[in-house]
Amino acid sequence: MTSFLKKWWRLIAAVALMFAVAQLFLRPPPALQSIGPLRGYAAIVFRPVYATVDFLHRGMASLWGGYVALTGVARENEELRREVAALRETIRSTREDLFENKRLKELLGFSETLERRTVGARVVGHDVSPWFQGLFIDVGGEAGVEPGMAVVTPGGGVGRIHKVYRGLSEVILLTDGRFAADVTIERSRVRAIAEGTGGGGVCSLKYVSPTQDVVAGDRVLFSGFDGSMPKGILLGTVVSAQRPREGLFQHIRVVSAVNFLAVEEVLVVLTRPTIPFRADKL
Amino acid sequence: MRLVLVLLAASFAGTSLSVWWLSGFVPWFLLPDVSFLAIVFAGLFIPGPLGLLAAVPAALFRELTVSAPPWSLFLSSLSLYFLAREVSLRLFIRAESFILSTTAVLLLLESVSMVILSLLIGSRAFSALWVLKEGIRVAWTSLIAVPLFMDLSGRWQRVTE
């Protein structure tokens, strides 16, 4: 027995760890979690990295847009090129500032209409794993962010906070397979459960009877009944509603209102979900 | 120790580059899982506690950058390390084809486990298109592993000699 264990302990450890992982998936922590000390310190390791990368990214974008793209003009006239480069840089910088200003104003105005305490955040990265849909924002536990809180933009809902660190939070997108929320069709007030499909910016609506009035083009809003996402926030637009010949419910697909790859700033609604947050069905 | 630090730095830089910089521009199936490669390399080529030491930070990076349930990616990464260690001790042959197949099999094993767990909790159905993309990711990451592992293992051998 001892020799067997000595020989195969690595394989046994690997299998035991996989069982532990399965437990974490199947029996997630039932309620709100705080930041563990190890997670907090681990996030500190990454914080300067994403801050630096964010800075470099902006610098590179500025360099590319302002200078590299103007190399063709340089061939025609050196003097003119410098002038054009300077002017374009000014215009680009001004336009960039204007757009950012507009976005932030919208976010601020939207924040006031939400009637809840919110905190603004910048998107600093995306989950690149094939199994989950998420993004990272630059606010964390120090700003009062907790798992389960809603993340929104003026354009619509984004998702919910999943893990929180110091200065960093992970957001599960509403297209992630683990996302579910109570929603209403704006036009007909039909209620349904929206679930993520795992990608493509698409959600599906569950438990809608074939007799209920849902058509392509309908806007879908969060109902707020489940106490997780704020009421009235746009989820997206119905792109297809099929009534199967056999089956109890319609097959409804909804395209999210927010383009998750393009979103730069978001708001975290600092209200604890009324239903305890579970990591498997967010 | 130098190789461990190189591995740590490469894993850190690669993960940061993928998650904080390239994500949003490059589709996920073209981004190699650098931390995964660091863990597998540590399992295959670095013996003893030093290998585990090299694998732990990479496992932590994965835990921090993947939206899986808390601590699940950390533990599954350690499981991956022990599996790679076992492969290294029982079967491993230092050849390009073997590195390619070992990395591909380990990637597939991890992916299949995650898919099964996701299906068990009823979170999503995986489409044929997703399977195709995942196939590309597995092939791409395994292909990168071959020159990377050959080079790093050569350096490691020179260091130990």
Side-chain angles (χ1 to χ4, degrees):
Chain A
M1 183 66 184
T2 318
S3 62
F4 174 81
L5 285 175
K6 262 187 183 172
K7 192 177 176 188
W8 296 104
W9 72 269
R10 290 172 202 87
L11 199 61
I12 293 165
V15 173
L17 285 166
M18 274 317 288
F19 268 110
V21 172
Q23 285 296 310
L24 286 171
F25 263 83
L26 301 173
R27 291 184 189 170
L32 291 165
Q33 301 165 303
S34 58
I35 321 165
L38 188 56
R39 296 183 80 84
Y41 292 125
I44 290 170
V45 179
F46 258 108
R47 203 159 52 182
V49 176
Y50 72 73
T52 312
V53 167
D54 193 37
F55 174 77
L56 284 174
H57 183 215
R58 281 162 191 283
M60 285 291 280
S62 165
L63 194 72
W64 181 265
Y67 297 99
V68 179
L70 297 177
T71 49
V73 183
R75 289 192 204 103
E76 293 173 21
N77 188 299
E78 187 64 28
E79 193 61 36
L80 195 62
R81 190 187 71 86
R82 258 186 246 131
E83 200 177 326
V84 169
L87 283 171
R88 283 198 181 177
E89 172 55 24
T90 312
I91 292 166
R92 189 205 60 76
S93 164
T94 313
R95 281 183 68 182
E96 191 67 22
D97 289 348
L98 274 173
F99 282 130
E100 190 172 15
N101 209 348
K102 194 180 163 207
R103 280 202 313 270
L104 293 175
K105 267 185 182 166
E106 275 177 13
L107 210 59
L108 187 65
F110 179 66
S111 165
E112 281 161 7
T113 61
L114 267 180
E115 295 174 352
R116 295 180 194 214
R117 211 157 62 85
T118 56
V119 61
R122 190 188 290 280
V123 176
V124 290
H126 293 256
D127 182 342
V128 293
S129 75
W131 314 290
F132 310 105
Q133 305 274 311
L135 52 82
F136 298 89
I137 55 173
D138 67 350
V139 295
E142 78 293 338
V145 176
E146 289 180 17
M149 287 177 170
V151 180
V152 298
T153 68
V158 173
R160 286 197 200 112
I161 300 290
H162 183 223
K163 296 179 198 163
V164 178
Y165 309 99
R166 286 189 188 87
L168 180 72
S169 297
E170 197 179 278
V171 181
I172 287 277
L173 299 181
L174 45 85
T175 51
D176 186 281
R178 294 166 293 169
F179 184 92
D182 196 296
V183 293
T184 310
I185 304 293
E186 189 181 45
R187 180 181 56 83
S188 56
R189 310 313 292 175
V190 170
R191 277 181 66 191
I193 300 294
E195 282 189 1
T197 57
V202 176
C203 291
S204 64
L205 296 193
K206 301 278 182 182
Y207 316 119
V208 180
S209 154
T211 57
Q212 290 187 306
D213 181 16
V214 181
V215 293
D218 275 342
R219 279 158 53 95
V220 182
L221 311 175
F222 288 105
S223 70
F225 288 127
D226 57 358
S228 58
M229 298 296 284
K231 184 182 177 180
I233 297 287
L234 182 65
L235 166 73
T237 310
V238 174
V239 284
S240 70
Q242 294 168 349
R243 291 171 170 79
R245 284 185 183 173
E246 290 176 3
L248 292 172
F249 306 111
Q250 296 188 45
H251 297 303
I252 301 170
R253 287 164 64 82
V254 179
V255 167
S256 62
V258 176
N259 177 0
F260 301 116
L261 289 178
V263 67
E264 290 177 59
E265 294 98 10
V266 295
L267 282 176
V268 182
V269 181
L270 296 175
T271 307
R272 283 185 170 190
T274 48
I275 297 170
F277 164 76
R278 282 173 60 90
D280 59 338
K281 278 285 174 195
L282 303 180
Chain B
M1 196 64 197
R2 206 175 70 178
L3 187 85
V4 173
L5 290 174
V6 166
L7 199 63
L8 178 64
S11 163
F12 188 89
T15 308
S16 307
L17 203 69
S18 293
V19 176
W20 309 117
W21 204 347
L22 296 174
S23 61
F25 301 104
V26 181
W28 61 264
F29 55 90
L30 292 181
L31 289 170
D33 193 338
V34 186
S35 298
F36 173 93
L37 292 177
I39 292 163
V40 172
F41 181 84
L44 290 180
F45 294 100
I46 308 177
L50 210 56
L52 186 63
L53 193 74
V56 166
L60 206 56
F61 295 161
R62 296 188 92 206
E63 168 63 25
L64 283 171
T65 54
V66 176
S67 325
W71 294 113
S72 59
L73 246 288
F74 180 75
L75 293 181
S76 72
S77 300
L78 288 186
S79 168
L80 181 75
Y81 163 77
F82 284 118
L83 213 58
R85 195 82 212 108
E86 198 65 45
V87 169
S88 165
L89 290 172
R90 310 270 169 228
L91 315 163
F92 193 62
I93 304 159
R94 195 183 292 264
E96 289 176 351
S97 57
F98 203 85
I99 290 175
L100 184 75
S101 51
T102 305
T103 314
V105 165
L106 288 173
L107 266 167
L108 276 173
L109 207 63
E110 185 183 58
S111 190
V112 168
S113 311
M114 285 293 173
V115 167
I116 290 171
L117 286 171
S118 297
L119 291 174
L120 276 176
I121 60 170
S123 74
R124 66 180 279 197
F126 292 88
S127 66
L129 183 65
W130 182 89
V131 173
L132 197 70
K133 286 177 178 175
E134 180 63 349
I136 292 170
R137 188 185 76 99
V138 169
W140 172 228
T141 308
S142 311
L143 280 171
I144 288 173
V146 177
L148 198 72
F149 285 11
M150 290 301 277
D151 182 68
L152 279 175
S153 65
R155 285 169 196 271
W156 176 246
Q157 220 167 16
R158 281 197 292 277
V159 167
T160 49
E161 280 164 11

